[in-house]
Amino acid sequence: MTSATNALGAAMLALAVGTAAAQVVPADAYDVGPPTLSCLITENSIGPLRIGMTLGEARKAWPEAKFERRAGLDELVELAVVVDRQTLVISDIGYDIPPGALPDKTVLRNLATYHPWCKDARGIGSGSLLSDAAAAYGGLVVIRKSDIEQREYASFKATSPRMHFRVDYTSIFYPESPRSTTAFKPEARLMGIEISAY
């Protein structure tokens, strides 16, 4: 693992949680992480963590990981899953959680990764070119911009509706359709992949 990888993981996470400025990271900045790491993304899981799992089950499933409480937007509590000093997975776990607590009974209803060490079976993950993701998943359907956070999400023809592909603000929106597009810059990349129970 290199210092460049550490910096990259931190940069992608900072961008993911609210930095609206565009950021494009060169493809050769990414590596695959430690040889023992298994961080496969599916429609139901990231690494050994599954949607619907309790935090107690998650701790047992990924004993190498540290589970940290972090502050999200608007008092939302986030769970950060850290492996080898890298934040690999984030889960929004709710609002009504006592300060400092991370109860084992907490249910993981969503999982997200913005780290290039985690990829799906097609090799798609954070940092993948949007054009590669479109090719892997049967073609791009649309890129939509969220109303409040202005986040950009791409949908593809052959993906589960439970998977959400966040784009790095390199889509091209036109005045006649300010919230949806199929146009993007050649260097457009995925910031990360999010999965949910709904």
Side-chain angles (χ1 to χ4, degrees), residues 24 42 51 75 111 113-114 135 142 156 158 185 193 198:
V24 177
T42 76
I51 293 293
E75 300 183 357
L111 298 167
T113 181
Y114 306 100
V142 69
F156 306 103
K185 298 178 181 179
I193 298 177
Y198 45 84

Side-chain angles (χ1 to χ4, degrees), residues 21-41:
Q23 178 173 339
V24 177
V25 181
D28 58 6
Y30 296 90
D31 65 21
V32 295
T36 58
L37 177 71
S38 177
C39 195
L40 179 68
I41 305 168

Side-chain angles (χ1 to χ4, degrees), residues 28-116:
D28 58 6
Y30 296 90
D31 65 21
V32 295
T36 58
L37 177 71
S38 177
C39 195
L40 179 68
I41 305 168
T42 76
E43 65 176 311
N44 301 306
S45 63
I46 299 178
L49 307 184
R50 300 188 316 276
I51 293 293
M53 191 180 256
T54 66
L55 180 51
E57 292 170 334
R59 287 185 168 119
K60 293 178 181 177
W62 209 340
E64 303 88 355
K66 294 181 180 179
F67 294 81
E68 301 177 356
R69 175 181 173 138
R70 297 182 183 174
L73 299 175
D74 300 324
E75 300 183 357
L76 178 66
V77 177
E78 289 184 346
L79 172 71
V81 183
V82 181
V83 178
D84 202 13
R85 295 182 295 175
Q86 303 291 305
T87 300
L88 299 187
V89 181
I90 294 174
S91 179
D92 297 334
I93 57 174
Y95 293 92
D96 301 322
I97 298 176
L102 277 177
D104 277 349
K105 65 181 181 181
T106 302
V107 177
L108 305 182
R109 303 189 186 282
N110 57 78
L111 298 167
T113 181
Y114 306 100
H115 200 288

Side-chain angles (χ1 to χ4, degrees), residues 90-189:
I90 294 174
S91 179
D92 297 334
I93 57 174
Y95 293 92
D96 301 322
I97 298 176
L102 277 177
D104 277 349
K105 65 181 181 181
T106 302
V107 177
L108 305 182
R109 303 189 186 282
N110 57 78
L111 298 167
T113 181
Y114 306 100
H115 200 288
W117 289 356
C118 302
K119 299 185 184 300
D120 67 10
R122 296 171 172 82
I124 301 299
S126 177
S128 294
L129 286 169
L130 183 54
S131 56
D132 288 344
Y137 282 108
L140 177 70
V141 175
V142 69
I143 302 168
R144 297 191 186 279
K145 184 184 293 187
S146 65
D147 291 334
I148 299 175
E149 301 95 344
Q150 305 297 300
R151 296 174 180 175
E152 298 174 14
Y153 289 92
S155 59
F156 306 103
K157 293 180 180 179
T159 56
S160 166
R162 297 172 62 165
M163 299 179 73
H164 311 281
F165 297 81
R166 191 165 171 194
V167 184
D168 66 352
Y169 301 102
T170 46
S171 308
I172 301 172
F173 291 88
Y174 298 99
E176 61 271 22
S177 183
R179 295 286 177 189
S180 63
T181 187
T182 56
F184 56 89
K185 298 178 181 179
E187 67 270 23
R189 295 182 182 273

Side-chain angles (χ1 to χ4, degrees), residues 3-25:
S3 59
T5 300
N6 283 332
L8 173 64
M12 291 301 289
L13 178 61
L15 184 61
V17 296
T19 301
Q23 178 173 339
V24 177
V25 181

